[in-house]
Amino acid sequence: MTRIVYLNGEWLPENEARISVFDRGFLMADGVYEVTCVLDGKLVEYAGHAARLHRSARELGMVLPLNEEELLAVHREIVARNGLDQGMIYLQLTRGVADRDFAYPAEGTPPTLVLFTQAKNVLQNQVAEKGIAVALLPDLRWGRRDIKTIQLLYPSMAKMEAMSRGADDAWLVEDGFVTEGSAANAHIVTADGVLVTRDLSHALLSGITRGSVLELAAQNGIRVEERAFTPAEALSAREAFITSATNFVVPVIRIDETAIGDGTPGALTRDLRRIYIETRRSAAI
Ligand code: PDD
């Protein structure tokens, strides 16, 4: 099926949407993005994604061409135009089109804003039932991972390396501590049932799903510690899991060659996945 995509105020069949070769997203990876999950044709955690988009743009001195209301309307319209029931909306904002130069183009250069949809069965996710294996790899990304930029080459390389080692994804390690996954936040549950997740800083992305899961854990009487953890602590954890917009909560059952817990998805992880889906599905707009 030909999708209808949004490009700078226009709705176009996907094969008719065109972007300049001088776009700074293409030439310099000078752009930011968001991925918002769609469930039952509704936007999951929209407010969080919209707020983070604004923050990413602000940190890089970019301006969104739409106001709050228009941005929400475009998200809703792209779902409607594509008849999307389950999947995701990808949004990308770049600094626009200009001659290649390391200096930013003049103020007032129109940004490029693209949105498209991708269908995915996010509820019946085989991976969530079975759990995933992750490989520990060095975190060689840049120093502002709190900004959701489109420079995703290293995460992509890390995923490929993890897959070549027989794992599904990577957990990245820097200065002796786990930062996060290639495209997800990383969490463990200790032997005494404490949910440990890295505290926020420039080292990792402030995941919207992460924030919600921490809130839900606290509401459900689970002890939470926001602090860095080592690979050794992860290997001896009772449970481990990742969080991201379209994966929600997915168990990690093996890290490198070590089975986590008894090598099957942990009970707390399964509970958090269920509670997350229940609450965020009913709150979707
Ligand atoms: N990735 N950390 C990184 C590096 C990420 O790229 C993502 C999301 C997350 C989780 O954030 P959230 O819960 O807000 O989705 C953490 C998206 C889904 C992606 O690139 O496809």
Side-chain angles (χ1 to χ4, degrees):
M1 197 189 91
T2 306
R3 279 171 290 195
I4 301 296
V5 307
Y6 175 93
L7 172 60
N8 294 333
E10 286 190 281
W11 295 99
L12 299 163
E14 62 182 55
N15 49 357
E16 288 174 27
R18 298 269 182 273
I19 292 176
S20 166
V21 295
F22 296 104
D23 193 280
R24 286 183 61 89
F26 177 64
L27 293 180
M28 321 288 271
D30 187 357
V32 297
Y33 77 106
E34 274 300 327
V35 171
T36 304
C37 183
V38 173
L39 258 184
D40 311 313
K42 293 181 181 169
L43 310 171
V44 179
E45 308 242 45
Y46 176 77
H49 289 285
R52 189 173 61 193
L53 173 65
H54 279 105
R55 180 184 181 278
S56 293
R58 198 167 55 241
E59 289 296 310
L60 297 176
M62 284 186 203
V63 183
L64 264 159
L66 304 178
N67 67 28
E68 296 287 338
E69 232 170 273
E70 292 164 338
L71 188 66
L72 174 58
V74 166
H75 275 79
R76 286 189 158 143
E77 189 166 346
I78 203 161
V79 171
R81 282 184 183 259
N82 290 282
L84 185 67
D85 180 59
Q86 265 187 62
M88 60 107 144
I89 297 171
Y90 176 86
L91 175 154
Q92 180 167 315
L93 173 74
T94 79
R95 208 180 299 275
V97 177
D99 268 358
R100 184 176 183 277
D101 193 340
F102 282 78
Y104 294 169
E107 229 174 274
T109 301
T112 302
L113 181 63
V114 175
L115 282 86
F116 61 79
T117 53
Q118 219 159 274
K120 177 184 172 186
N121 192 338
V122 286
L123 286 178
Q124 256 103 50
N125 182 349
Q126 268 221 336
V127 167
E129 309 296 323
K130 274 184 22 215
I132 60 166
V134 299
L136 296 167
L137 293 171
D139 197 339
L140 301 180
R141 298 172 300 164
W142 79 321
R144 288 301 305 275
R145 303 160 197 152
D146 56 313
I147 307 172
K148 201 163 170 61
T149 76
I150 60 173
Q151 10 162 12
L152 296 176
L153 181 56
Y154 187 71
S156 192
M157 287 169 71
K159 172 126 184 164
M160 293 306 290
E161 176 60 26
M163 287 167 65
S164 80
R165 296 182 187 188
D168 301 287
D169 212 337
W171 273 16
L172 304 173
V173 180
E174 182 178 56
D175 299 333
F177 294 98
V178 174
T179 50
E180 57 184 335
S182 69
N185 289 114
H187 317 263
I188 57 170
V189 179
T190 65
D192 22 334
V194 181
L195 196 174
V196 181
T197 195
R198 179 127 182 182
D199 51 317
L200 296 179
S201 68
H202 289 175
L204 72 162
L205 187 74
S206 173
I208 305 307
T209 323
R210 171 193 178 280
S212 275
V213 163
L214 295 190
E215 196 182 296
L216 292 170
Q219 282 167 9
N220 285 274
I222 297 160
R223 244 180 73 207
V224 174
E225 280 178 19
E226 282 187 72
R227 60 168 175 83
F229 58 87
T230 62
E233 203 177 357
L235 293 175
S236 62
R238 186 206 278 175
E239 300 184 25
F241 63 93
I242 58 164
T243 55
S244 76
T246 55
N247 280 303
F248 309 137
V249 175
V250 166
V252 171
I253 55 168
R254 182 163 60 83
I255 301 177
D256 284 343
E257 299 312 319
T258 305
I260 303 305
D262 64 2
T264 65
L268 197 68
T269 302
R270 280 191 272 117
D271 281 352
L272 284 170
R273 178 178 174 84
R274 181 181 44 77
I275 298 168
Y276 179 85
I277 293 173
E278 270 169 23
T279 56
R280 273 43 189 176
R281 187 181 193 181
S282 62
I285 60 168

